[in-house]
Amino acid sequence: MTTTVPVTKGFPIHAGTKILGIETSCDETAASVVIGGHVVRSSVVSSQVDIHARFGGVVPEIASRAHVDLLTPVIAEALVEAGLDGSELDAVAATCGPGLVGALLVGVSTAKALALVWDVPFVAVNHLEAHLYAALVEDPSLELPLVVLLVSGGHTMLISMEGHGQYRLLGSTIDDAAGEAFDKVGRYLGLGYPGGPAIDRIAMEGDPHAIAFPRAMYNDGLDFSFSGLKTAVINHVRKHPESATADVAASFQEAVVDVLVTKARRAAQQIGAKGLVLGGGVAANSLLRERFLSACVEDGVHGFLPSRAMCTDNAAMVAAAAWWRLGADGPSPLDHGADPNLKLPLLS
Ligand code: KG4
Ligand code: ZN
């Protein structure tokens, strides 16, 4: 991948183009300055996890209000860390969807206002596309086509990235997202919110083979299903309340990771991918990271694991995706809204 793209339409971007990215789609308030699509000069993330934990999940209205309070200081910190004044930026980008509409609007409105004040382009960024760019920020040498296993709280997708902005959906969940399954099982096991990191921790003390949980659609294509697994965990705990929570968590995690890795390597084989990468919050999972890398080594595919901070919601991935989007499509209009159900643009 080259970092300077010959631009035929859109906006002239280059290796020195400095973009401020803003992320407020869910419960992380984040801002970051990225130069040339991959040089991260600053990345500040203020998590609201503690605010929402006592409710057992994200409360949309509280999230919006917290973004209003946190965003200005987070942006200020990102600029100070980058050693830049706002007027030195070339564009301001924000996630415009999918996500919680009130939360998204805080980031989008702020980005537009700053773009107006600094007289630079505003770029609306698709949150899913931003997750796809997380790996490319940290390893710009990755070659396309790339298979991305995107596993977050709201999505579980296998995507073939054939070019910049050119995506094909290879598979997705037909019910719950992987992160949603982690969160629901975590809550059922009394591990609090978010369930993913809690299950990851407690599973280290459990036996992953203690309970043979089902692997839905295992031999069947590239789609996923996790809702039966969640029900199987609940049924097991009801029938065997004496089971150690660590064993249940480890066996559940083993089932999820087994399916995710099996399907990701099948997808890479199917399209002859040059690389296989992870994205989304669940990509922070320790077992998934370990199994994913071993599978890539075994299959002779270039595997890359973005750092945990780059996998979970952050604004560096937003600024990176914005660099490519600005070059390809030019600035977004200032009447661009927020779309809670925004889809990833796919090749037909
Ligand atoms: O990408 P993300 O930060 O936000 C969304 O866009 O959804 O993903 C959040 C999801 C949550 O479901 C959380 O439980 C899960 O990522 N997660 C994990 C881990 N860390 C975060 N799941 C499993 N293991 C982890 N270590
Ligand atoms: Zn996300």
Side-chain angles (χ1 to χ4, degrees), residues 25-26 28 127 131 151-154 179-180 182-183 194-197 200 253 280-282 284-286 308 311-313:
S25 66
C26 190
E28 324 280 357
H127 183 76
H131 272 303
V151 269
S152 69
E180 195 180 349
F182 267 100
D183 293 339
D200 192 343
Q253 179 177 268
V282 181
N285 183 266
S286 313
R308 281 181 165 82
C311 290
T312 49
D313 286 350

Side-chain angles (χ1 to χ4, degrees), residues 303-323:
F304 181 75
L305 288 176
S307 63
R308 281 181 165 82
M310 193 58 85
C311 290
T312 49
D313 286 350
N314 67 86
M317 65 183 192
V318 174
W323 188 76

Side-chain angles (χ1 to χ4, degrees), residues 12-236:
I13 50 164
H14 50 82
T17 304
K18 304 184 243 345
I19 300 187
L20 170 70
I22 294 174
E23 161 61 40
T24 62
S25 66
C26 190
D27 60 345
E28 324 280 357
T29 313
S32 164
V33 176
V34 176
I35 303 183
H38 72 100
V39 178
V40 181
R41 286 285 290 266
S42 65
S43 182
V44 180
V45 181
S46 174
S47 175
Q48 303 175 12
V49 160
D50 294 344
I51 303 175
H52 299 286
R54 67 193 151 116
F55 301 104
V58 179
V59 182
E61 181 58 23
I62 295 177
S64 313
R65 285 165 191 270
H67 285 308
V68 170
D69 291 341
L70 295 167
L71 188 53
T72 306
V74 163
I75 291 172
E77 196 180 329
L79 290 174
V80 169
E81 234 179 65
L84 289 170
D85 184 76
S87 58
E88 294 173 83
L89 294 168
D90 298 301
V92 183
T95 300
C96 65
L100 303 169
V101 69
L104 289 165
L105 278 170
V106 177
V108 168
S109 318
T110 306
K112 286 184 203 171
L114 292 176
L116 264 176
V117 169
W118 293 325
D119 195 21
V120 292
F122 159 67
V123 190
V125 173
N126 182 311
H127 183 76
L128 300 173
E129 184 167 57
H131 272 303
L132 296 185
Y133 274 87
L136 288 160
V137 174
E138 291 186 335
D139 185 358
S141 74
L142 279 165
E143 285 181 78
L144 307 176
L146 203 58
V147 166
V148 186
L149 171 62
L150 178 52
V151 269
S152 69
H155 297 87
T156 300
M157 297 166 134
L158 273 166
I159 290 150
S160 151
M161 187 170 182
E162 295 175 10
H164 292 286
Q166 302 197 299
Y167 316 117
R168 232 174 265 285
L169 182 65
L170 303 172
S172 62
T173 181
I174 59 163
D175 42 55
D176 290 353
E180 195 180 349
F182 267 100
D183 293 339
K184 286 178 176 169
V185 167
R187 191 178 314 150
Y188 184 75
L189 296 177
L191 300 173
Y193 171 84
I199 289 180
D200 192 343
R201 269 192 306 275
I202 197 170
M204 289 176 189
E205 292 146 31
D207 173 5
H209 305 293
I211 308 141
F213 284 128
R215 275 99 162 125
M217 305 169 77
Y218 195 74
N219 296 312
D220 200 15
L222 298 173
D223 285 334
F224 304 88
S225 166
F226 293 110
S227 104
L229 172 59
K230 172 198 65 193
T231 310
V233 171
I234 295 172
N235 288 341
H236 175 88

